[in-house]
């Protein structure tokens, strides 16, 4: 991706280096509980099956797996991607005379407090609708290539654009509507199906960022393939097979690899939010 020297978003809250996790370790023995504390947040990638809880409860002080140069580059890169999503969505909302209120991106290490509960880096990037923030631990870049086999800057950009997609769903009133429908649905399988639709729409919205990036010469050759690979890498079927050896379709919350790729491509090719309606 062409990102160096380009505009960085100022809608960033930098909590890196703050001991966000430290305060939760003292009492109650370990912080394994963090994994289930976060409620109502929306994830790009459900890593819960791939997380090694023994790592988390060890109480060791957290060391970033990135060296300082990697950390600095990813910091700039994420801010540029966020700025691009701002322009893409400002244009979109502007067309219908509406104003786009961008989310704030919180950079943190290991764990941090959110209005959805305690955020945990081990679960991957997420969006909390209560405080309209996207939470990102930059070391997820490494997890993507090592655990998910999705490497490259555009793969990382896709994940950021997906979380911003959840923010757009929030602005459009889709998140609260779907949440109500889930509560009424009466079965876990039905609630999961609604969750899948929500996630596929966020993938399609990420594709709208891709459409903008492609049109404006930000993407280089091979970049789209990186994003396609990332969308497939975070499919429920693939993640479940990877963590437990088999897939259970009723438990899917994000969609299969094929679905995630298809909806991302739909947004990418059309650049049109009307094409992003998995709810039918
Ligand atoms: Zn998501």
């Amino acid at each position: 991706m062409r990102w160096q020297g380009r505009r960085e978003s100022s809608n960033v809250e930098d909590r890196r280096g703050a001991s966000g996790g430290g305060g939760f370790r003292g009492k109650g023995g370990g912080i394994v509980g963090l994994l289930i504390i976060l409620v109502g947040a929306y994830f790009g990638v459900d890593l819960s099956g791939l997380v090694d809880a023994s790592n988390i409860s060890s109480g060791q002080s957290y060391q970033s797996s990135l060296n300082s140069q990697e950390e600095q580059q990813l910091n700039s890169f994420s801010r540029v991607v966020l700025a691009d999503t701002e322009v893409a969505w400002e244009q979109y909302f502007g067309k219908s005379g509406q104003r786009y209120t961008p989310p704030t991106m919180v950079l943190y290490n290991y764990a941090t407090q959110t209005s959805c509960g305690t955020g945990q880096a081990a679960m991957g990037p997420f969006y909390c609708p209560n405080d309209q923030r996207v939470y990102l631990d930059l070391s997820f870049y490494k997890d993507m290539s090592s655990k998910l086999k999705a490497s490259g800057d555009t793969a990382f950009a896709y994940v950021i654009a997906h979380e911003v997609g959840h923010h757009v769903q929030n602005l459009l009133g889709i998140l609260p509507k779907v949440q109500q429908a889930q509560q009424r649905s009466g079965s876990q399988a039905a609630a999961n199906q609604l969750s899948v639709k929500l996630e596929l729409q966020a993938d399609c919205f990420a594709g709208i960022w891709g459409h903008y990036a492609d049109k404006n010469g930000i993407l280089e050759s091979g970049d789209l393939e990186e994003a396609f690979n990332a969308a497939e890498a975070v499919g429920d079927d693939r993640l479940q097979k990877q963590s437990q050896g088999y897939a259970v379709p009723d438990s899917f919350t994000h969609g299969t690899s094929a679905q995630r790729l298809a909806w991302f491509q739909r947004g990418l090719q059309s650049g049109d939010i009307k094409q992003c309606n998995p709810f039918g």
Side-chain angles (χ1 to χ4, degrees):
M1 260 179 75
R2 294 190 180 84
W3 63 271
Q4 268 146 329
R6 296 187 43 241
R7 186 180 78 85
E8 298 182 7
S9 172
S10 55
N11 294 312
V12 177
E13 192 184 318
D14 196 346
R15 298 184 192 168
R16 290 174 302 157
S19 57
F24 310 107
R25 273 182 218 139
K27 291 174 196 166
I31 53 165
V32 175
L34 287 183
L35 286 177
I36 50 163
I37 289 173
L38 203 58
V39 285
Y42 295 89
F43 301 87
V45 188
D46 185 355
L47 288 181
S48 44
L50 298 175
V51 170
D52 179 3
S54 63
N55 250 340
I56 296 157
S57 59
S58 64
Q60 300 280 312
S61 67
Y62 177 74
Q63 297 279 316
S64 173
S65 58
L66 303 168
N67 65 43
S68 60
Q69 198 198 348
E70 284 173 322
E71 183 89 27
Q72 206 182 340
Q73 289 227 322
L74 286 169
N75 175 25
S76 289
F77 176 77
S78 306
R79 288 167 192 254
V80 170
V81 172
L82 185 63
D84 284 338
T85 65
E86 286 163 4
V87 179
W89 287 110
E90 266 160 26
Q91 285 180 357
Y92 208 91
F93 277 66
K95 272 186 216 159
S96 52
Q98 290 171 291
R99 257 189 84 159
Y100 174 65
T101 320
T104 297
M105 182 170 73
V106 178
L107 300 177
Y108 73 103
N109 299 126
Y110 190 64
T112 196
Q113 280 294 14
T114 85
S115 301
C116 296
T118 303
Q120 237 285 342
M123 298 206 71
F126 62 93
Y127 173 72
C128 172
N130 303 348
D131 55 26
Q132 306 206 349
R133 283 170 161 80
V134 170
Y135 290 87
L136 181 64
D137 181 323
L138 296 172
S139 64
F140 184 68
Y141 180 81
K142 269 206 166 159
D143 289 340
M144 280 188 78
S145 55
S146 64
K147 294 194 177 109
L148 306 172
K149 307 280 172 268
S151 50
D153 52 8
T154 316
F156 199 53
Y158 151 74
V159 172
I160 295 172
H162 173 100
E163 296 310 329
V164 172
H166 284 310
H167 175 67
V168 173
Q169 290 177 316
N170 197 18
L171 293 181
L172 297 174
I174 297 166
L175 285 190
K177 258 189 224 160
V178 172
Q179 221 163 26
Q180 281 167 13
Q182 282 176 315
Q183 277 155 11
R184 281 195 311 262
S185 69
S187 83
Q188 191 59 48
N192 287 348
Q193 270 177 23
L194 285 165
S195 168
V196 166
K197 287 178 181 173
L198 209 49
E199 295 299 332
L200 296 177
Q201 187 177 55
D203 280 336
C204 192
F205 286 180
I208 287 182
W209 156 80
H211 182 85
Y212 166 84
D214 196 29
K215 220 172 63 182
N216 288 279
I218 293 163
L219 300 183
E220 298 171 295
S221 117
D223 280 351
L224 280 176
E225 287 70 22
E226 270 177 27
F228 296 162
N229 180 46
E232 289 182 306
V234 294
D236 285 320
D237 49 344
R238 187 166 310 175
L239 289 174
Q240 287 192 357
K241 277 179 198 154
Q242 204 179 328
S243 64
Q244 64 196 23
Y246 55 90
V248 184
D250 267 357
S251 71
F252 289 174
T253 53
H254 284 65
T256 64
S257 296
Q259 286 175 317
R260 297 199 71 166
L261 176 63
W263 282 93
F264 175 72
Q265 288 180 330
R266 217 171 149 130
L268 176 77
Q269 279 150 17
S270 68
D272 182 4
I273 200 169
K274 290 187 202 77
Q275 299 300 314
C276 295
N277 185 13
F279 299 97

